[in-house]
Amino acid sequence: MISTRELTKDFVVSRTETVHAVRGISLDVEPGELVAVLGPNGAGKTTTLRMLTTLIAPTSGTAKVAGYDVAAEPGRVRRQLGYVGQGNGAGHSQRVADELYGQGVIYGLDRRAAKRRTGELLESLELKELAQRKVSDLSGGQRRRLDVAMGLVHAPRLLFLDEPSTGLDPQNRANLWDHILRMREQYSITIVLTTHYLDEADSMAERVVVVDHGEVIADDTADALKADLAGDQLLLTVAPGNQGPLQRLAEQLPGAREVQADGDRLTVRVADGPAALPELITAAQHNGVPVATAQVHRPTLDDVFLNLTGRSLREAESNASSNGKAAA
Ligand SMILES: Nc1ncnc2c1ncn2[C@@H]1O[C@H](COP(=O)(O)OP(=O)(O)OP(=O)(O)O)[C@@H](O)[C@H]1O
Ligand SMILES: [Mg+2]
């Protein structure tokens, strides 16, 4: 469905400043996949999406979407895809149903088809009750659902969502996700979305593409990324005076890394936490080392990011925003 090779985008800001927003992204997405593109502010996520949706031209490299080249056949590419941008797309003073109907007509549906499609989408995105409301009167979550509906009016095979859930409270985020996943089932669409929410990428996408400084630094299932890069962490507490013996036992676990004792706390990283924890506790019992508490901390995607880049995603975000301020 998508195939890019060494895609780059430079923005020439001034005679002395060029921003290398995307630095050689090669990516393949199969039909039906749900891919989350994850990365800090300024990583190049939106720029990549804008190239794939033909809104801006790549500086170099190639991209094919639904079999068509974005540079050579932008019109054909556009007909295959829906794009929900980072801001809100819908016009503010229009009524919800009119907005959807108008979008259908713009995409070349005849009146009857546009009306039918509007009805369908109002129904499936639970916007029916709001059909006669003005877009400006909708809540953030309702508005985002309308944005998704707008992206689906022409029944695209591929949907791009740029930070669909940013700014929504947890309940609205969950609700939007329910709808996105339902749309995916109902219309068998391929979905590529961007997000800063690690938990969201982790639980919803089958595949996570981590982007940093305009490059893909990891691309796999969330589980594989976590298994390969971070491993599980065991966290134990012991009675005073027993840290030393427990540390030695922890070091003997197969593949043990990063063994650290801090007061009555001991942490150790292993490949398979649920297998290693009972092993360590049994060894402690045999050696008369009393373990007070024990838990397995499974890595998050933030651990993965930290492992890949040496900084946490949150740290990367705050650096990016302070850089932005300095530049302004
Ligand atoms: N039109 C433009 N002109 C100049 N620089 C731009 C332009 N658009 C984007 N950039 C720069 O390109 C880089 C990548 O921006 P992009 O919007 O793709 O990031 P992003 O990953 O979507 O970030 P966010 O998570 O904040 O949305 C940033 O440094 C940004 O300032
Ligand atoms: Mg963006």
Side-chain angles (χ1 to χ4, degrees), residues 241-253 259 266 280:
N242 288 287
Q243 300 91 324
L246 187 64
Q247 182 168 353
R248 280 188 287 284
L249 293 173
E251 280 161 358
Q252 286 162 26
L253 286 171
V259 184
L266 179 112
L280 182 56

Side-chain angles (χ1 to χ4, degrees), residues 50-67:
R50 292 178 71 209
M51 287 193 277
L52 295 177
T53 52
T54 77
L55 295 174
I56 52 173
T59 302
S60 67
T62 58
K64 277 192 166 185
V65 173

Side-chain angles (χ1 to χ4, degrees), residues 45-46 86 162-163:
K45 304 180 298 293
T46 297
Q86 203 166 343
D162 198 356
E163 296 196 25

Side-chain angles (χ1 to χ4, degrees), residues 260-278:
Q260 279 170 352
D262 177 16
D264 63 349
R265 267 167 54 101
L266 179 112
T267 56
V268 51
R269 203 171 282 286
V270 292
D272 183 353
L277 187 62

Side-chain angles (χ1 to χ4, degrees), residues 95-269:
R95 291 186 194 283
V96 169
D98 298 342
E99 187 71 23
L100 276 171
Y101 175 81
Q103 179 89 344
V105 172
I106 289 171
Y107 269 105
L109 302 185
D110 64 38
R111 281 157 191 272
R112 259 177 69 190
K115 211 167 161 193
R116 195 178 56 231
R117 186 70 179 157
T118 298
E120 249 175 59
L121 288 168
L122 287 174
E123 179 89 45
S124 33
L125 283 149
E126 283 183 85
L127 291 164
K128 222 169 155 186
E129 317 253 282
L130 305 170
Q132 295 312 317
R133 291 261 193 101
K134 281 189 182 156
V135 174
S136 54
D137 297 340
L138 300 182
S139 75
Q142 294 165 342
R143 189 116 146 221
R144 224 43 194 147
R145 290 213 302 275
L146 174 61
D147 289 335
V148 173
M150 298 279 285
L152 290 171
V153 157
H154 55 300
R157 301 158 63 193
L158 172 63
L159 183 64
F160 290 99
L161 301 165
D162 198 356
E163 296 196 25
S165 57
T166 295
L168 301 183
D169 62 37
Q171 200 181 343
N172 272 310
R173 273 171 64 192
N175 176 280
L176 181 71
W177 267 103
D178 278 351
H179 285 95
I180 292 173
L181 297 177
R182 187 130 41 87
M183 291 297 98
R184 180 188 182 208
E185 286 284 299
Q186 200 172 341
Y187 301 117
S188 342
I189 36 181
T190 308
I191 298 180
V192 176
L193 61 95
T194 69
T195 180
H196 298 229
Y197 295 117
L198 295 151
D199 55 331
E200 204 167 270
D202 200 342
S203 56
M204 305 298 177
E206 290 130 15
R207 181 173 155 202
V208 180
V209 174
V210 187
V211 178
D212 191 32
H213 298 308
E215 287 177 300
V216 173
I217 55 169
D219 177 357
D220 212 325
T221 63
D223 281 345
L225 289 176
K226 289 185 288 187
D228 283 1
L229 297 166
D232 296 339
Q233 197 179 41
L234 307 184
L235 237 141
L236 299 99
T237 54
V238 285
N242 288 287
Q243 300 91 324
L246 187 64
Q247 182 168 353
R248 280 188 287 284
L249 293 173
E251 280 161 358
Q252 286 162 26
L253 286 171
R257 290 176 288 142
E258 300 165 35
V259 184
Q260 279 170 352
D262 177 16
D264 63 349
R265 267 167 54 101
L266 179 112
T267 56
V268 51
R269 203 171 282 286

